[in-house]
Amino acid sequence: MRKAWVCAGFAAAACSLPWAATGADYARTLAYEKTVAALAAMVEAGRPATDLQSAAAPLGFSYTAAEPKPMKGLALGGAQVSVVSIDLVLSQLALQAGANYHVALRQAQAKPEVLLVETGVTSLAQLYDAVTAAKLTGVLDKTDRGYVAHLPIAVWNGATLSLQPGETLLLDRSTGAFLLAAGNLFGDAAAIAGIGEANPRLKDFNPFVVVALSGSARLERMSFADLGYGLFPPLTGVTILEGGFYAKPSPSLIRDSRFDNVGSLALVDADAAVVDGNVFGASTGPALLLSGGTDIAARGNVVLAGSAAHGIKVTGGAKAVELSGNIVIDAGLNGIFADAGAANLRIDGNLIAGSKRSGVSVASADCIDVTDNLLLQNAQSGLAVRDSAGLKVSANRLIDNGNAGISVTHQPDYGVIEIASNELDGNRVGIKGSTTARLQFAMNDFTGQAPRLLDGELVQFTDRFFNLSATDATPTIIDGLQLKAGAKLTPTGALRPTSCTFEGDA
């Protein structure tokens, strides 16, 4: 058993520095690297989330998915279709998503037309039959690989496209095809992908899927591939977009699905949405983007992030977000990144390894509970915090990170960070601070971190970590340098909080 010694608030009457710090065990480091590399290879090989979660068990990762409610069957029929001007669709979408991209999107079209599903509940097979019956040519072809759409498809308000098991919708890149669901988009064990030659009118164009206006999505055991272009939703892959002038639909669900070479799965102002048990590979943007919205849950997902992207990004004032039981590996930027007024996040039970920046990064986001995560071998810090009203950092393992286990910078004068019961081991330095405001320490284990305990302005407080009068009930408090600051605004103009209350606080 390791000789446990702790800093800042250990209930120890004989706390002392070991004769020789253990540091990071080299064999353990190699074993961690091997396991993370094996996880990446499994994602590339197409393995499901459950297999990947089992393979991460040697790292101490554990996740048990909730029993899913079965999807209710829908009675198919009543589909009516027509071809209309693309301007009809884009003018409505502009009310939610703006119109900055419309000129380029029109440029990509071989014809300025859209296949409109006006009413009914239709599978792809029935949609093909309806198109054939309406004598619409050059719109939707049936091939051995699936149904190829040569025009954009718009599922209008009140209509439903329900992809059945084994059905595949292929969106023709060369003609500018995409899928818009202003009604319902349901899918079970089906696939949507971009195919075809490069678009001759707009070389960067790639097909995409957007659920918008009053649309709702329920997508289970789906496969999405080769979708998305540009930098911003709704073009960047698969987007669920709510709000604006339209009534909120029923909450969307994306579960047990796979996203390969999809720019992002983006939820924009989507309330009560659930993203559960999905696998993301080769994303070009944040694999999962949560912008705005409330009461969102992302659980049990596996992300092999892109070389120039965050794994999961929470932004745009999103509130009450749960990120739990996710595996994020090899992110080109941060594993999880929260910024731009995001608040009341619970980051719990995740494995984040191999990020080229930090495992978890918080910048101008508030009231974030970071609990029971393994932040492993990230190039910069395990956890990096900048400009936050408050974080609760507890029961995490921060191991072998290239800079600090925990880095705190540029805190406002009202910022409070609670750091309790964490294990810091083998990081370049334990905790690094610059303009830290108030830090509260209790029951942290630095056994494997010696002798590089503190850095930055915190070095001057090293003696406080060996205050023998400290107890569990009386944590060591460091009031570092502060930036005078009043309340700040989220991107939507709402006031950011200046204090935080976490679950379990008295």
Side-chain angles (χ1 to χ4, degrees):
M1 179 180 296
R2 296 192 311 171
K3 179 180 179 182
W5 65 281
V6 294
C7 303
F10 259 75
C15 181
S16 60
L17 186 68
W19 288 103
T22 59
D25 180 77
Y26 184 61
R28 178 204 66 184
T29 297
L30 292 179
Y32 284 168
E33 290 177 348
K34 184 177 180 180
T35 301
V36 171
L39 288 170
M42 290 173 69
V43 172
E44 293 173 341
R47 301 286 287 277
T50 50
D51 289 357
L52 290 152
Q53 291 157 358
S54 297
L59 299 176
F61 177 83
S62 176
Y63 175 75
T64 302
E67 187 67 26
K69 295 180 180 179
M71 180 185 290
K72 293 181 180 179
L74 292 175
L76 301 175
Q80 295 185 13
V81 299
S82 61
V83 171
V84 301
S85 169
I86 193 172
D87 291 331
L88 171 65
V89 171
L90 295 184
S91 63
Q92 295 298 306
L93 188 56
L95 297 175
Q96 270 188 332
N100 292 337
Y101 55 90
H102 285 190
V103 171
L105 191 55
R106 285 191 188 93
Q107 180 184 340
Q109 304 305 309
K111 296 180 180 179
E113 297 174 334
V114 171
L115 172 62
L116 184 68
V117 182
E118 300 175 7
T119 60
V121 179
T122 181
S123 65
L124 279 178
Q126 290 187 344
L127 179 60
Y128 176 75
D129 291 341
V131 168
T132 302
K135 295 182 170 51
L136 302 175
T137 59
V139 174
L140 187 66
D141 290 337
K142 184 178 180 180
T143 71
D144 291 340
R145 295 181 58 190
Y147 295 90
V148 181
H150 301 291
L151 286 183
I153 299 174
V155 182
W156 215 234
N157 187 28
T160 297
L161 176 59
S162 180
L163 282 71
Q164 302 298 296
E167 290 190 327
T168 299
L169 174 60
L170 302 171
L171 300 169
D172 188 348
R173 186 176 295 108
S174 67
T175 60
F178 60 88
L179 173 62
L180 164 67
N184 297 312
L185 177 61
F186 296 158
D188 184 10
I192 302 176
I195 64 161
E197 299 297 324
N199 190 290
R201 293 160 300 280
L202 184 66
K203 65 178 183 179
D204 292 334
F205 175 84
N206 206 31
F208 59 92
V209 176
V210 55
V211 180
L213 308 185
S214 295
S216 177
R218 186 178 177 100
L219 304 166
E220 303 185 61
R221 295 172 290 278
M222 293 286 292
S223 173
F224 299 90
D226 302 318
L227 297 170
Y229 78 104
L231 300 176
F232 305 104
L235 310 177
T236 48
V238 179
T239 300
I240 297 174
L241 176 63
E242 296 180 8
F245 293 95
Y246 296 90
K248 286 283 187 178
S250 58
S252 291
L253 168 68
I254 304 95
R255 183 171 62 200
D256 297 338
S257 297
R258 186 171 181 90
F259 297 78
D260 287 298
N261 196 29
V262 174
S264 293
L265 169 61
L267 278 60
V268 181
D269 294 325
D271 294 345
V274 175
V275 182
D276 188 352
N278 304 285
V279 178
F280 300 83
S283 302
T284 54
L288 178 58
L289 172 64
L290 308 177
S291 180
T294 62
D295 296 317
I296 306 165
R299 301 185 290 251
N301 301 288
V302 180
V303 176
L304 178 59
S307 60
H310 305 292
I312 301 173
K313 183 176 180 180
V314 186
T315 189
K319 294 186 295 184
V321 177
E322 174 194 353
L323 304 176
S324 63
N326 302 290
I327 299 173
V328 183
I329 49 180
D330 292 346
L333 300 177
N334 300 293
I336 294 177
F337 182 47
D339 75 341
N344 301 113
L345 277 61
R346 182 160 66 89
I347 302 173
D348 177 25
N350 303 283
L351 162 61
I352 306 174
S355 305
K356 301 306 181 289
R357 291 188 183 176
S358 296
V360 175
S361 179
V362 175
S364 301
D366 307 292
C367 304
I368 299 177
D369 188 345
V370 183
T371 301
D372 197 29
N373 302 282
L374 172 57
L375 307 179
L376 172 69
Q377 295 177 345
N378 299 289
Q380 296 184 7
S381 298
L383 168 64
V385 183
R386 178 186 178 97
D387 181 26
S388 175
L391 277 82
K392 183 177 182 178
V393 184
S394 60
N396 300 285
R397 292 181 295 150
L398 304 109
I399 299 174
D400 292 352
N401 294 289
N403 196 337
I406 300 173
S407 172
V408 181
T409 63
H410 291 82
Q411 285 295 92
D413 55 353
Y414 51 78
V416 178
I417 298 180
E418 304 173 26
I419 302 174
S421 302
N422 301 284
E423 175 189 347
L424 294 99
D425 191 341
N427 307 288
R428 183 175 180 274
V429 66
I431 301 177
K432 180 179 180 179
S434 172
T435 322
T436 55
R438 171 163 286 206
L439 305 179
Q440 297 182 183
F441 295 89
M443 300 296 293
N444 297 291
D445 182 356
F446 282 71
T447 305
Q449 187 57 55
R452 298 296 302 273
L453 305 179
L454 303 176
D455 200 3
E457 71 179 43
L458 297 180
V459 171
Q460 63 184 305
F461 299 108
T462 301
D463 62 322
R464 299 284 299 279
F465 278 61
F466 304 97
N467 181 357
L468 302 187
S469 66
T471 67
D472 291 351
T474 309
T476 296
I477 297 174
I478 292 178
D479 288 318
L481 300 178
Q482 302 174 1
L483 293 174
K484 296 297 180 183
K488 302 175 184 179
L489 301 179
T490 70
T492 60
L495 284 172
R496 285 175 53 193
T498 57
S499 63
C500 301
T501 302
F502 296 99
E503 183 177 348
D505 289 352

